[in-house]
Amino acid sequence: MAQLNNDQFSGNPRGAGDDPDPAVGALPRISTSEIKMGQLAEPEHHEEPTASELPLNTAVSASVAAAPASDPESRTGRVHTTDEGITLVPTRANPVARSLLAKMWISTSPPTQALDIVDRLQGTPYANPTVNKDQDASARRTLEFALDLGETLIRYGAGALEVETSIIAVTAALGLSYLDVDITNQSLHLNYSPPDAESYSILRVVRSSTANYAGLVLVHQLVSDIIAGGVSRSESAKRLKAIMRKPKPFPRWIVASGNAVFAAAFVLFIGGSWLGALVAMGSSSIVSQIGRYGARWRVPAFFTIAASTFVVTGIALVSYELHAPIDPALVVSGGILLLLPSGRFVSALQDAINGFPVTSVGRLFSAGLTYTAIVSGISTALVISSVLGWDSVDVHQIDKIAYPAWLLVILVAVAIIAGAVTEQSSVKLLLPTAGIAVGGYLIQLLCEYIGLGVRATPAVVATVIGFAARFAADKLHSPQLVIAAPAVMFLLPGLMIFRAMYSIVFDSSDMSSGLVEMFNAFAIMLSIAGGVVFGDTLCRPLTSSARRERRLIRRR
């Protein structure tokens, strides 16, 4: 007996053209009679329930959706109450509110987007470099030139920020983008990774340094000429080699004489006698020879500086033992002042503030070692004098000579010029540096008259000097460091260091006061460095590069 199919069993036989039986779980069948011109039949309209017949959240959506277009309250996103007494919260936000929120939360640049490295030039003398399109297409040679430029800046004592901005400005002006610069203490790493060209990664380690502020000025001028346009890479490389081969502005005998003149002038400035100034001049001349032969024999700088301070302290103690009319504390203070790492402290704090913590720690540690070498040389000479039974020095009762104010101003100017000569500064910067130092000394007299503390006065004076040095450097086309570092030398606490070491070595019962004074001397040096950096920051909006940048922004 044949089996009946479903149509036969249900009594509804399937006619021709009807859809086949749907499978289990398939969509509902649509017969051919329900299809007109390729479109589905219009859905049946069912009467929607009123808002009062629905739950609250469903009633809100239904009422807002069913509201007529002329109803401004429901269509503009305002909370309102219906005729039935139901408070409705709109499902769509107010367009004005959405616009305000979009402006607050939506940024034109996504937070994960990489920042343009040229933005690092804002606020520096190298902002808005001019791209020279007529350049050699060799990216590798451009990178090597930028690496040589950065190495020269580091060797001459530039800060990490100046090295980074110089490299970024030069490579941008020479047509290179997609460049990363990494400066870590003595290493300089350049990584060039364009999306459609060959990548390069070059590393250079700078293992030597020299005092050459004049060379630093020349490199600064070279970078300024490159970013101004019109200087090709090959010409820039030739000028850089000429700078590196150019002799320093002052020969060795003038540098040694400058060291001696500085020591003598500073001894007189802090109240020493003329004989004490002559003793300090002689000991400083010997220190210059110690540094010269130490560099020739490859002796580490730590031992060279320790030997120099030992000689300075020993000569002062011998003169005092021979009953010469001098105060050894003042003589030692003048002799060790140029050995203090003031420029390195300024560079270290500048690197820390500008976002180079590793480089800052390295320079601070190096400056701390120099400071330790000075302390070691002084303490060794004091211990030997105690063993030999020489007369002790009363560091708390120092007989100072009161010189007239006009003579003190002259002494400050002479000392700063001599100190700038020892740093091989440019000849054209000697008088501006001395003028800024004299202005700082007048500010110091004003601060002392007002009654500022021992730590606050050097910080305020250093801030003024840093501000004036940045303004003068912008006019003279030179880095700020080459003017500010020599100009703050008269603020260094050489006498405080000698007092602290004498108390630590000879007065064991009062060692705590010596340690406190030593900490105060270190804090004063840090405050001086911080003041120079702060003054530089305050003066940046007044520089010519900042004014050019503001004019470009207004034109946009």
Side-chain angles (χ1 to χ4, degrees), residues 231-251:
V231 182
S232 63
R233 192 204 61 223
S234 58
E235 183 181 354
S236 301
K238 293 179 181 178
R239 288 181 58 180
L240 181 61
K241 289 183 179 179
I243 293 172
M244 297 172 62
R245 295 173 181 174
K246 186 176 182 179
K248 297 180 180 180
F250 304 104

Side-chain angles (χ1 to χ4, degrees), residues 195-268:
D196 54 354
E198 186 177 0
S199 301
Y200 297 101
S201 183
I202 308 177
L203 177 67
R204 183 77 57 84
V205 178
V206 183
R207 303 187 183 277
S208 62
S209 61
T210 181
N212 191 358
Y213 282 175
L216 199 59
V217 173
L218 294 177
V219 176
H220 179 88
Q221 293 175 353
L222 172 61
V223 176
S224 301
D225 293 341
I226 293 174
I227 66 174
V231 182
S232 63
R233 192 204 61 223
S234 58
E235 183 181 354
S236 301
K238 293 179 181 178
R239 288 181 58 180
L240 181 61
K241 289 183 179 179
I243 293 172
M244 297 172 62
R245 295 173 181 174
K246 186 176 182 179
K248 297 180 180 180
F250 304 104
R252 292 177 179 176
W253 68 270
I254 293 183
V255 173
S257 301
N259 197 350
V261 170
F262 177 86
F266 190 79
V267 168
L268 295 174

Side-chain angles (χ1 to χ4, degrees), residues 436-518:
I436 292 174
V438 169
Y441 174 65
L442 297 178
I443 297 296
Q444 181 183 11
L445 295 179
L446 178 62
C447 293
E448 292 176 353
Y449 177 78
I450 295 174
L452 293 181
V454 179
R455 297 183 186 178
T457 298
V460 172
V461 176
T463 302
V464 175
I465 291 176
F467 185 94
R470 163 57 70 182
F471 190 79
D474 181 68
K475 300 298 181 182
L476 297 173
H477 305 289
S478 65
Q480 185 251 10
L481 181 67
V482 302
I483 299 178
V488 297
M489 286 182 177
F490 72 95
L491 296 173
L492 298 177
L495 182 59
M496 188 177 293
I497 294 174
F498 181 80
R499 282 176 173 174
M501 283 311 306
Y502 197 89
S503 299
I504 292 173
V505 173
F506 289 105
D507 196 357
S508 58
S509 61
D510 196 20
M511 185 178 295
S512 59
S513 63
L515 293 175
V516 170
E517 195 163 10
M518 180 65 67

